[in-house]
Amino acid sequence: MLFIMACSATKYVPDGDFLLNKVKIYSDTKDLSSSELKQYIHLTTNAKWFSLFKTQLYIYNISGRDSTKWINRTMRKLGTPPVMFNERDAQRSQKELLRAVQNKGYIGANVELTTKIKRKKLELIYRIKGGQPYKLRHFSYGSTIDEDILNLIKSQPSASLIKEGMLFDINVIDAERDRIANLLTNNGYYRFSKEYITFIADTIRNSKEIDLKMRFIPFPGSKNYKPAPYRQYHINNISIITDFDMMQGTSPSGIEINDSIHYEGYPIYYKDKLLLRPKVLIDNLHFAPGDLYRSQAIQRTYRNFGRFSALNYSNIRFTELPEDSTKLNSYLLLTPNKNKSASFEIEGTNSAGDLGMAASVSLQHRNLFHGSELLTLKLRGAYEAISGLEGYTNNGYYEYGTEATLNFPRFVAPFISKDYKKKSNASTELGFRINYQLRPE
């Protein structure tokens, strides 16, 4: 270790360049934490072990300059080359750092960039002078916001991230846009996004106070019709297609189907054979005809079908009814996975000089009862030649094992209500395993 550390860290630093030894951030404001601001620095130094030793750099520097020798090439692969100071990246980081500080409310802040050079090592220093931050004096909603939406937003006053008297933090304001967009899409406002939410900020003269107003931009229409802005949508029909081919096309009308059934009012289309039992398909839906469109229900449905080993892909598409309608037709598109698979594994072992080998074969059925139940059967055998044990020269170690597991992608238990099972994300596994070992000692 002493030999490695004795190597010059700048051995492979060319003349005129500098090894970036350290990057430091100093701030005159407690609210601007140096550790939080490091993410905006686009410069990294050579890694240190235990925050003390640049071991990988030292290993790289041990290598000789003759790259034709294998030892030199090996040492360079094990180590890391020196990180050089790049003035362009340093200035870019300075701009990013200034922008981040200003976004936190310190609009009049300044970031100074200085360097300290000792031999061929360079230390980079950023000094942040925050000054007095801007604060939010008053927050209001503009007249462009629909009354129903405004009442929905105001129904959760404690959930709002924007508070009067807070720092004028752009990150907090943007997070409020995300919150409101999620609130609206979970209450029927289909296709709404945070891009429709804007803010107008007015500074108060001769002060560090800001008045902030939220407004909505008009909802864009389409070529065929112009829907009224920000309307609540309801689910009209739900069609389930169990043999969707991703390579076939994107239009549900162009999907090849041979047969269909209706179960509890839901049409289920399939090509040759129904993939999953109708009850399994319906029980894993978290939205129904007549329901208000809710993004949370859509995501829960995605999670449910994503756990099915019998499916390779699942997608939910919505189409708006023509003319002046606030109803959505839904298509649940399911792409089946291969029902059966087999795998074989082989391994070699060496236990204190005793050589051995093991092999196993596994069989899987991903849709045993047409409810995406996963059955796994596995057989394993192993042998190891035992040596060095007195009296057991010609004996070996044998192992045989078998196991069978059956996984249900739902909670299976008696006396449990259907609603609880539907809300639960749990799965159930039944397992049976036997292992037999014959040891000579």
Side-chain angles (χ1 to χ4, degrees):
M1 181 62 68
L2 290 175
F3 171 73
I4 292 175
M5 295 183 61
C7 294
S8 172
T10 59
K11 177 180 178 180
Y12 285 104
V13 177
D15 293 338
D17 289 333
F18 300 96
L19 172 71
L20 185 59
N21 195 39
K22 295 180 181 178
V23 178
K24 295 182 179 179
I25 301 176
Y26 296 102
S27 173
D28 63 353
T29 306
K30 293 182 179 180
D31 292 335
L32 299 174
S33 172
S34 300
S35 58
E36 294 181 1
L37 295 173
K38 282 184 178 180
Q39 60 180 312
Y40 302 102
I41 302 297
H42 300 284
L43 296 162
T44 57
T45 60
N46 285 96
K48 292 182 179 180
W49 283 13
F50 311 108
S51 301
L52 295 173
F53 310 112
K54 296 182 180 180
T55 308
Q56 289 177 290
L57 173 62
Y58 297 141
I59 292 175
Y60 184 91
N61 288 336
I62 290 176
S63 66
R65 298 185 181 276
D66 188 357
S67 59
T68 60
K69 295 182 178 180
W70 70 269
I71 184 63
N72 293 336
R73 295 195 302 269
T74 302
M75 299 306 293
R76 292 186 184 187
K77 288 180 180 179
L78 294 174
T80 55
V83 176
M84 307 297 182
F85 167 70
N86 188 301
E87 186 175 2
R88 181 179 297 178
D89 289 341
Q91 293 175 351
R92 184 163 66 97
S93 299
Q94 182 184 16
K95 294 179 181 178
E96 291 285 339
L97 200 58
L98 177 60
R99 187 181 297 111
V101 171
Q102 291 175 338
N103 286 344
K104 289 183 175 291
Y106 294 84
I107 300 177
N110 183 38
V111 177
E112 294 182 354
L113 172 62
T114 58
T115 58
K116 288 184 179 180
I117 299 175
K118 186 177 181 180
R119 297 186 181 91
K120 286 188 176 184
K121 295 181 180 180
L122 185 143
E123 183 178 324
L124 192 61
I125 303 172
Y126 293 95
R127 299 185 185 276
I128 302 172
K129 297 180 180 179
Q132 186 178 355
Y134 280 73
K135 294 187 176 182
L136 186 63
R137 189 188 73 160
H138 179 67
F139 175 65
S140 61
Y141 298 94
S143 58
T144 58
I145 302 179
D146 182 81
E147 185 176 355
D148 292 335
I149 292 180
L150 188 58
N151 292 333
L152 181 61
I153 295 174
K154 289 184 176 180
S155 66
Q156 301 178 354
S158 60
S160 177
L161 303 177
I162 299 179
K163 311 290 184 182
E164 293 182 352
M166 61 173 271
L167 292 178
F168 185 66
D169 194 329
I170 300 298
N171 299 316
V172 175
I173 294 173
D174 193 58
E176 177 70 1
R177 294 172 69 204
D178 288 324
R179 187 191 72 84
I180 293 177
N182 291 333
L183 175 65
L184 295 182
T185 55
N186 203 38
N187 282 273
Y189 292 93
Y190 172 68
R191 286 177 55 193
F192 189 89
S193 74
K194 74 173 188 178
E195 305 304 325
Y196 302 142
I197 304 174
T198 61
F199 290 90
I200 298 177
D202 291 329
T203 55
I204 308 303
R205 189 174 182 181
N206 298 325
S207 72
K208 299 291 184 179
E209 294 180 319
I210 291 178
D211 287 345
L212 188 67
K213 180 183 289 187
M214 179 190 293
R215 62 185 295 270
F216 283 13
I217 63 175
F219 188 84
S222 66
K223 296 180 180 179
N224 298 328
Y225 62 97
K226 296 181 180 180
Y230 315 122
R231 296 185 301 177
Q232 289 178 301
Y233 284 78
H234 288 77
I235 304 298
N236 184 42
N237 294 323
I238 301 176
S239 300
I240 302 175
I241 302 170
T242 63
D243 291 280
F244 174 65
D245 186 356
M246 292 184 293
M247 306 301 294
Q248 191 172 17
T250 58
S251 174
S253 61
I255 297 173
E256 183 182 354
I257 55 177
N258 294 340
D259 207 346
S260 66
I261 62 172
H262 281 70
Y263 181 83
E264 296 185 357
Y266 293 87
I268 303 174
Y269 302 95
Y270 56 95
K271 186 177 180 181
D272 298 318
K273 186 178 180 181
L274 187 59
L275 176 66
L276 299 168
R277 300 194 308 274
K279 187 178 185 302
V280 174
L281 295 170
I282 306 308
D283 286 350
N284 283 279
L285 286 174
H286 282 277
F287 59 99
D291 287 355
L292 197 65
Y293 173 85
R294 298 185 186 278
S295 58
Q296 188 176 10
I298 308 303
Q299 293 304 318
R300 291 184 66 184
T301 302
Y302 268 120
R303 275 200 305 271
N304 281 1
F305 285 97
R307 294 185 296 125
F308 281 18
S309 59
L311 297 177
N312 188 37
Y313 174 81
S314 62
N315 191 17
I316 304 173
R317 293 181 184 166
F318 293 93
T319 58
E320 300 176 44
L321 269 65
E323 304 302 332
D324 193 22
S325 174
T326 57
K327 294 184 178 181
L328 298 169
N329 282 336
S330 174
Y331 298 88
L332 175 60
L333 308 175
L334 305 176
T335 301
N337 199 358
K338 292 182 178 179
N339 258 0
K340 303 177 184 68
S341 66
S343 61
F344 178 76
E345 296 179 9
I346 187 169
E347 60 184 276
T349 60
N350 185 341
S351 302
D354 295 337
L355 301 180
M357 65 175 299
S360 63
V361 60
S362 299
L363 302 175
Q364 280 191 336
H365 195 301
R366 298 186 177 90
N367 197 21
L368 186 63
F369 304 121
H370 296 284
S372 193
E373 299 87 0
L374 176 62
L375 174 66
T376 302
L377 302 175
K378 186 175 183 179
L379 296 173
R380 185 178 188 274
Y383 170 78
E384 186 175 288
I386 302 299
S387 61
L389 288 178
E390 186 177 353
Y392 301 102
T393 306
N394 298 321
N395 294 292
Y397 160 73
Y398 295 89
E399 178 185 346
Y400 307 99
T402 180
E403 66 179 74
T405 58
L406 181 60
N407 185 282
F408 297 86
R410 58 190 178 277
F411 189 52
V412 178
F415 313 112
I416 301 296
S417 66
K418 180 180 177 181
D419 290 339
Y420 180 81
K421 290 182 179 180
K422 191 170 183 178
K423 292 178 181 179
S424 174
N425 289 326
S427 61
T428 306
E429 183 177 280
L430 305 176
F432 175 78
R433 297 176 178 86
I434 294 177
N435 185 268
Y436 173 78
Q437 296 182 3
L438 179 61
R439 307 187 62 89
E441 72 276 23

